[in-house]
Structures are given as C-alpha cells and as structure tokens.
C-alpha cells in the first residue's frame, strides 16, 4: 500500500456534475448502463439530503481517522470526501469538528464506508454524510493510508475526480471522463420519464406503453381466470 | 415453478379489513395467536405510513421486475401488492413510475422482499412501501415468475386475497378466511388495552393488574434487599 | 443463572448524570478513554431523543417479557431500564403498555438488546427506546431471568446503578464509581472542543491546530504533486 | 395459529424420492424450473451427508423445543423432520437425545431453521442435520406450535408429505404431487449432463456446445484484442 | 478504560475443570441453568477440537494485536486465552507465531472475538482457536488495552480465572466460584442422559419417558387424524 | 458499463507467482504493506486448497452466469477466474460443468463473489473455489457483463493479469507490476519468521524478541500484582 498524498487532481465539468445531481442517483445509475452504485448499506444520516460533487478519495485504517485530517487539506469547494477503509469497520471516524473544517472549505458532504457520529449536530449544520453506520466509537491516529489514489468504497471503485451523486436512494460514482456524456443521457432519460409519468397517472399500463405483452407471451406466460384453472 | 397469472381472486370483507388497519399490526398479530408477521427487516420508507388491504401476490426473479408490470394490471382499489423474490436480493425493483401506475388504480401500498428506489418522490406522493432495503440498483426484464399464486414474502406465506396490515411496527398477513374473526378478536383486545392503559398511567403494576406474582413465586423467583444478600 | 430480584441498588449523583447527558454520548465515551459504548446496532426509535439516567438492569429469555414486568416495580424516577437477552432475539418485548407504566414512575427511557413495538404511540408519548429492532412479534411469560444483577447488553457490561447516556449517536454506560470523574472530564473536553470549533469554522486545519504534520512525516507520509509522480 | 397435530399424512412414492436423492439438490432444483430451494444459510453439520425423504413438518417457538418431542411420535422410517420457527432464532433446539429417538424410528435426518448441538456425537451417529447455526444454547418447553401443517422453513413453503432432498449443496423441497414428474425430469437432466461432461473435459466450450455465440453477439457483446482498443 | 496488566490471578480447581471438559459445552451450559454461552458465531478452526482451562483475559483495539503479546507472558500451562475487542472486528489478530509462544507455555487454545489466520499451520500444530472469522488481515501495534480485567467476549462476561470450555458446539464460561458445583451438576446430568439414551435408542418417546403428555394437553394441544379434520 | 471482452491480457512472471503461492496469503498480504485482501467472507469449499495464478476477470449480473461461459474461453493454464457481481448475490453461478471446462484448460481455481454448487463433485475433482456462499440456486443467461476489465471482487480491485493467491486463510490480489517485488519481500518475511519460530517454540517472548517493552511502557501500560491493587 502506498502511503502517499496526491495534491493535484483533475475534476470534472461543474455544469454537468450539477446536472447529474438534478437527475438523481437512480437516473444516473440507469444512464450509465446500470453501473456505479455503492452498496445499499450506505445511508444518509438525514432524509432529503442530496449532493453532487467531485471525489477526493482517502483510504484509512479501521478505527483510525488520522488520514481524514490529511484529506481535509486536499479538499476544495464542490468536493465530496470519499472514505474507503482497509476492512469492515463501523467506528465513528468523522464527527462535527472535521465536518466543520470540511464545510468551511465548501465541501458538500462525505461518503464513508464506516461510521459517523454527532449526527444531531451534523443535521443542524446541514452537512450530510452517507455512512454504513452511526457510531460514537472514537478513533486513534496511528496508521497511515493514502489520499487521492483509487479507492474501493462500499464495493465500488472511486477514482479521485470522479463525480459523486448521493441522495435518499444511495450513492453513485461517475468516472470523470464520462461525466458529460452521462449527464446528457440522464437528461434524456428524465425527459422520457417525465413524458410517460402522466400516462401512468392516467391509468395506462407499462405493459402497453412499453409493449411488453408479446415478449411475455413468447417467454411462456399463461393467464388463467381463477385458481381453479391451475 | 408455474409461470402463470391468475386473473380473478377472492378478496376479504372491506369493513373487517379496515377494522384490522385501525387495530394496527401488533394487535392483529396478537389477536391471531401471535402469528402472521413478516420478518422485522421489512421497514416502511417513511414514518407514519399505515395501510390495510387485500394481497395481490407476485413472485419475481432477483434483479428482474418484469412480473411487477404484469401484476399491476391485476390490482384494483384497496389492494396491496406483495412481492416475493426467488432469492435474497436488495435491488431497487420498484420506483416512482410503477408506483404511479399502482396509485392510479387505487392500490394502497407495496410490500416487497427486495429493494425500492425514488423514495423521496414516493414520500411526496404519499405512496408507502415496506421493503428490506432502499437501493437505486436497476433491474432487467428477462425472467418470468407468477402472479396471484401463494408466495413466501419475508418468511411468511401470503395467499392472494389475504389481508395485509402494515404500519410503523411492520407487516402482518391475515388469511382471508379468518379476517372477520381476527377483526373481532382485535377489537376486543384493543378494548381491553384501552381499559388497562389508564390504570398503568395511574401507577398500577401489571404484576397486580394481571396477577403475575403467584406465578413468578411458583417458578422460583426470589427477592433480596440488596446485592450483599446474594 | 440466578433467578433473583435485587430491590435496593445504589445510584449515582444526579447532577453529574445530568452533566453527562448534556455532554452527549460521543463526548462521554471519549472522556472515559474510549470505552463503555454499546454496539452501534442499538438505534433510537425516533430522532432527537436524548436521556441520561441510572440503570435498572434486567435479563430476559428470548421472546419472553415476564421479567420486564418484574423490573418495572424496581424502577424509580430518573432511571433507565436496561434489558439484556440470553441470546440474539428481535422480538417486540416492550410496547406502549409497559412504557406507560415506566413513564408513570418517571423512568426516562429503555435500552433493550431485542425489539420493541408500538413505535408510533411511543413517539407520541415522548418515551424513547433504543433497540436492535422494531418488531411487532409478541412474547410469552414463561421463563425467569433476574433484575438488578450485572448484565451484558449489546456487548457492554452494565451494572445496576451505572449511568446510561443515550442519544442519536447511540448508548454509553458509565460505571457508577466513575460518574463524577467522567462528568468533569467530559466538561473539559466539551470546553476544549467549543474553543477549537470556531477555528475550524474559520478555515484552520487540525493538521496545524493539533500539530499532526511532524508525526505524519515521521511515519512516512509522502506528498506528490500529481498522480504522474507516483 | 392452530395448535394441532395431524396424525396421518400422505407420503410420496418411495422409488421416485430415492431417485431424487440420487439426482442431488442442484439437479432437482433445476428440474423443477429453478424453484423449491431453502435459503443457502442452511448448512449440513458434516460434509458428505445426503438424504431424500418425506417431510414431517413442525412449527416451534424460539428457544422452545416442546413440539419437537411431539413431532418425533409422528415420524416413521424414511421421513425427514422439517422444523420452522416463529422468528429468527439460533438456539440449539435439537441434540443427540432427540436424534437418537428419530434415528430409532428410521428418520433420515433433520432440516431446522434454528440451531442444533452435540454435533460431534451426531457426526459419529451418522445422523445429519441441516441447520442455520450450531449452538449449545438450551431450550425450554413452554409454548405450543403445531405438527404436520404447512410451514415456512428457511424461506420455502413445506407441506407435510413433500419430498425433501438435502446434500452438500443445501436443501430443496418437492411438492408431493410433483415428485414422480420431477424425478423423471431430473433423470433426463442428469443423462444430458453426463453426455456433455466428457465434451467439456475434452476442451469443448459451452459457447459452442450450447450455441451461445449468436445470442451474445445479438445482445451487443463486443470483443477487442487488448485493453488498448477500449 | 484502564490500561493495566494484572499479573496474578486466581484459578479454579484443575480436576473440576477437567471434568467440565469431559461433560462438554452443551451439558455444562445446561448444568449452569442455561447460562454462560458465548454467541454461536464463535466457531473452531477445525472439527473435533475440545479444551477446558482457566481464562486469561485480554482486551484489544480493532486491528491491533499489541496487547496479545503482553497477554502471552501472563499465561501458564492449562490456561485459555480469551480475547475481547473494543468493537466488531474480523482482522486476523493471531496466527502461528503467537500460537507457538502460547503452546510453548502450555496454553490449551484461544477464544477470540475477532479473526485468526495461518489456520492450516495451526491445525497441523493441534492448537485450536475459536474465532468469529478466519482472516489474513494483519494488525498494527499501536493502542493499549488491558490484561486480566473482566472482558466481554462474544456477548458473555469473562473474568480472569473463570473456566472456559470449548468444543464443536461452541464456548461456555463458568465463573470461578461455581466450577466445582457446576462440574458436579454436569456429572449428574451426564449420568441421567446416559441412562435415558438406551431407552430412546430402543424406541421409547420423551413424551412418555419425561411425562409430557398431560402438560401438552393442558396447554391446549389437539390431535386430529388427518388434515381433512382441521 | 462496457459490455466487452478483452482477448489478450498481460500476465505476471510464473516463477514469482509460484513463489507467492508458497509464501501463502497471510505472508503475501503483509509483504504488500497489509493490502490486497478480499473480504473474509470468501471461503474455500474444502480445507487445504491452495493456489496461485493469474487473474482472468469477469463481471456478471446477479443470478446470471452467461458471461462465465464467455470468460472460460479467455482462460489458459495457470489462470484463476475472478468473478465480480453487480450486486450482493449468493446464487450458485458455477458448478461442476463449467469447472470441468476450466480444469480442462488448466485453470487452477475460481474466486467468485457469489455462490457455487456441486461442491462434492468439485471436491472430488480437486478443483477449488473460494466463494461467499454455497447455493444450489440456478441461474439464467440473459444479461451481458464484461471480461478482462478491472473488477471489484469482495471489496478488492482486481485487474486482469494480477496475481491471485488463495488458501485456507482467504484470498489476496497482487498487482501485476508488483509481483516480483512482493515475491521477494514475502521470501524475506518467511525467512525471518522461520528464524524466530524456534525461539518462540523455546519459550522466548515477542515482548523481548521484538523489543516491545519500552514502547508499551511509554504508551502508559501499568503492571499490578493483583486485582486488589487496581
């Protein structure tokens, strides 16, 4: 494992990242061909939180938040701090003090594959965290990791500078080179859904709107009038 | 596995189902002799949701929501869609579009042994889902299942036409033939609790109200004045 | 296993317990040298709940709440009921009736290594419970346990009369003999954090405020300008 | 919940059940259209165990094995005892004494959605158990359940008299009415696999043997010579 | 948390500890009134391992085995090292080198609420470990804990000098003061079971041997001849 | 997600990969600075299996093994097939037929973040699989993934051509560019351990051999003669 900090990383286009945030996690994930999602155990600490920003990545040891302090310095406005951990761990690695530092730098939120604490204060601050646990357990400062190298967080690979979209549905990562393309695909998908929604609200069925009946019949689906006909 | 859709199913008496909803999940479960509960990992997507309706059942493959679209057509006002899955799966099989279709038909909510997504929109729509996970992961449309056959959902057997009661405490299923009887038992239980609640609020103890002291003593319970007497 | 109830237990100083509550779970845990936390699967049934009181302990069998009724009688104003279970269990051992009894006696809340139910009513009552699950599953009254003996709850040892602090971050137990000392240490820690918070809000870094740079460099941390330099 | 014991149940054809056992769990599951499997957390207590018999079903309370003793009397040679539990529970509900009784009656083994104990003795006895846990935790005899009613075990519905096949790959249930048909389908499947196995051993690919290439290309699969061509 | 090592601890009577080992985990647990068990996730690294000895206790930080080395020095022949961890952790805290040290001192085995590694070598050495995981993940030496203070391990309280019995069924702890009494109770229980086993093998039922029929009938159990009578 | 197959991938030096296999998973992981491990839920289907080879990577949909057949064709002697899955899934994606194909090509084994089946036959074949589950659940062939692109498997990033070492302790991945270096570091580590092992066997303590006493004292560790001195 390299114990290194990369100071300068490329970031994606602000407008496209903002557009991804408007589209939301589910739509962005679909627009990418159903990829990029972090594991569903990653949950926001309060309902309604929604962010889109550039990943600053950090790898930390379990129960050790030394490297988080190192990572803070590498963050700038519009970033999202993404924290991978060397093994399964739920310790409360981040709380209101580090979050105050991050918020002071314009960081939008944190995605951490471990625990967080001070959630009431964080909620009052309006600083959202997506984590695998809420835990007050404190941490030491003893082991190095790295900052701004590729990291696996909640089962997904995140490179520094990738776009991170997070909302009530979870977290998705978009590779930096694909941000603009995915933003456009997400926009098209949203448009399409916005057109079909009123039809569904009016009682039309996706079976007809999306023409599924022939495929179902071809696959062998049979209708019977009642259980007596089974 | 039968790949079949049963079009017509019997449903229980509306008044009794409504009464079950008023009694709530915990009381209904008790009134049934402590049976019928789905596993406690089934949680509502927002607090305060509470429904009671008739089960339309569907069995789906993991990561595949094709049959949900088929099931929508079989639902009518007052129904609850109950989704079993062929194996453990948390994919986001249902979101705001299918829910719009269901709500347009008067369906009260969904109970799904998998994941759901678009939870912010669903919350705004007032369309509740009880699920094992929230996940944005998208699904394919490739594998058949069935609709309105008996299904195991979160460890409980649900037959089409059974009553489904769901609230903040979880989900309970009442076999169709027992709906009226259980509604009456639940009403009696609620009455009894309403009578005893003021007594507890006034400081009386269940030890006395329910006469437990003799049983406890008979089982061998001993009181000592302090830890020094152990 | 002793099947005994201890009637009289010592309790800690009220002022210091109240001070611990103001400091909050995370700060108290840190002030104790990072100890005393219950497992993070213990979650409050509603956001914003926060209590600090004296532990009345009870050990129960899985799916059996007989001893809870026994324990109620041993509680007094300012207490917190702490429930250990003989094995992993999520049954809804406590609901609104027992809670009404407890609230009538001035008990502040419950910490239970099992499930609870009637959470909507409990929320309306303002009676908080920290539990490992919400479950409507009912319980029997068949097996003895004990009251006010030491109990393991969610991985932590709790003695009767210990202080229990619980809030959005979880639950921590403070041994009775250490309550005053920990309250003072927590106060000092809070003071210190209150001083450093404005500095972080103003953009200063913990790397500098806490003087971490030398330690990091000594441990071998290297900075590079970009990924090309790796 | 009915607290009843059904004394006489129909059982399936012995020859066909034996044939299912020879085919093995995976083949039987496939022959049924990929259905009937219990959850994969059900594991045998020793490697190499393999049985096929008729289900005697029993529903028990958590931590309570009273009904197991009732169920023993309803078992006969060639049966498999299938134990459902009212909630998640890992207590050691069955050990060497009950197993001695069962083995004396010619019962082939046990499938229990809870824990078992005395596994060394059971292994020496050659009496296999598929369980969700190994646990020494003892049980009480206080709560009724039922025997030979339909039961959900590890997520699957089992009716008394269904065939149970269990081996190193897990457990599958075959509805009684389908035993003969599934046995024949399993035999055909085994024959087919026995023919293709030597071809695979000789280096032929399923891509060709099963003619998958056109389907993959049609779905959009692309081959490139190296990562530089991406 | 005290960071202290207690050098001298009392140990229980060797003969009685040995007798507990012969009785086995399940019998000892029953003889104690069904108490003392560690959580069933604690599994031996190889089948057939069985030990009984005196607990030397150690509390360690997650991912940190510094204190294990400290604990080794406090062990003597006939001891079992019991390792509690400050939070959930599966890191491979102990391997063949520490085990070589322990075996050289006559230690019988290890019970660790974390992971272990080098399991093939440990198996060849005949040095058994009961752990919650097998993991190669290495550990640091950075954080203090303590040795020979009371520790919670896998949900059970272990005091230094308590007896630890471990076999294929799991791990049980017997408080030092009760070792002799429990050994005698376990012997009686074993005798009783040895007498009843031949009766069960000969086909007698526990329903009759233990006289359960009246109790079952009194509780309301009903027998019907067939499902048609329900 | 790219639906592509990369035909030609670089592989590492055979001798060094073989040397990594001899060193074993734990030593290799340590030699890499404690990195590269897959999650500890990955377990071999039989004890004693140990392999070291070059990764061929494949990403599959849950419950869908279509791409495994595609991947087989890209494997050659000395390879290890590494299977990532798009979400949590335990279906039995690989059994004895695909394994026969793989073994015919000289593939050493499989590492799959899902389930496998036919484990008795696989054991007889001597073809090892490390998986997160054993499950007979069958799969469909409906959804594309990719072959020989980077994949996350059990929380670790694996690039095609990386070295995979797997044994009783789990699975570790070594980036291709570091294989030779890590093999040398692992050799040195093994040498060092081989020297120290006899010293530990003779009763020397790591406290002395590794000179830990000063560090422990400096960190504040205190020794007392007995619990009375606390």
């Amino acid at each position: 494992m390299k114990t290194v900090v990369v100071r300068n990383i490329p970031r994606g286009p602000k407008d496209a990242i903002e557009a991804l945030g408007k589209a939301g996690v589910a739509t962005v994930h679909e627009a990418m061909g159903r990829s990029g999602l972090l594991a569903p155990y990653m949950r926001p600490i309060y309902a309604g939180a929604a962010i889109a920003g550039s990943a600053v990545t950090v790898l930390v040891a379990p129960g050790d938040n030394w490297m988080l302090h190192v990572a803070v310095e590498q963050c700038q406005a519009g970033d999202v701090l993404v924290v991978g951990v060397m093994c399964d761990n739920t310790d409360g690695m981040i709380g209101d003090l580090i979050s105050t530092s991050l918020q002071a730098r314009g960081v939008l939120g944190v995605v951490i594959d471990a625990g967080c604490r001070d959630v009431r204060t964080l909620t009052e601050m309006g600083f959202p965290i997506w984590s695998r646990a809420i835990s007050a357990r404190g941490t030491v400062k003893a082991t190095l990791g790295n900052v701004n190298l590729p990291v696996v967080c909640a089962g997904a690979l995140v490179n520094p500078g990738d776009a991170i979209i997070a909302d009530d549905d979870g977290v998705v990562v978009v590779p930096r080179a694909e941000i603009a393309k995915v933003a456009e695909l997400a926009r098209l998908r949203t448009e399409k859904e916005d057109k079909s929604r009123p039809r569904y609200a009016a009682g039309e069925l996706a079976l007809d709107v999306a023409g599924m009946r022939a495929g179902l019949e071809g696959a062998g689906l049979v209708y019977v009038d009642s259980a007596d006909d089974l």
Side-chain angles (χ1 to χ4, degrees), chain A residues 23-200:
Chain A
V25 170
T27 297
V28 169
H29 159 68
E30 291 283 352
M32 290 174 73
R34 291 193 195 107
S35 63
L37 276 184
L38 277 67
Y41 61 69
M42 297 296 285
R43 299 298 305 144
I45 57 169
Y46 55 85
I51 60 173
S54 293
V56 167
T57 59
V58 56
L59 179 67
V60 302
D64 191 314
N65 73 353
W66 212 12
M67 293 304 293
L68 289 191
H69 294 285
V70 175
V72 169
E73 191 177 26
Q74 306 307 319
C75 293
Q76 59 185 54
D79 284 347
V80 176
L81 184 59
V82 176
V83 187
V85 188
M86 296 176 195
C87 70
D88 272 12
N89 185 256
T90 61
D91 292 351
M93 292 206 190
I94 184 167
D96 68 330
L97 288 189
I98 298 183
S99 296
T100 297
S101 269
L102 288 166
Q103 202 174 39
R105 299 179 85 79
V107 173
L108 303 172
V110 172
V111 173
I112 179 167
D113 198 357
C116 64
R117 64 184 190 181
D118 304 325
V119 297
R120 197 181 341 184
T121 305
L122 292 169
T123 304
E124 291 163 2
M125 289 168 58
F127 188 79
I129 297 184
W130 284 255
S131 69
R132 74 185 305 167
I134 293 169
S135 169
R137 183 159 307 274
T139 46
V140 295
K141 298 182 201 330
T143 305
L144 293 187
N146 53 52
V147 175
N148 279 332
L149 266 61
V151 72
V152 174
C153 180
L157 177 65
V158 180
N159 282 284
D162 288 349
I164 300 292
I165 323 301
D167 60 23
D168 290 310
D169 284 348
V171 185
V172 68
V173 54
V174 182
R176 187 171 53 90
E178 301 179 26
I179 290 173
K181 188 187 70 181
V182 173
E184 174 58 15
L185 289 169
R187 192 186 61 76
L188 292 174
R189 191 178 167 88
T190 300
E191 263 184 24
K192 192 180 151 205
E193 290 193 0
D194 285 350
K195 273 184 197 149
S196 59
R197 193 172 288 106
R199 296 179 65 180
Y200 295 133

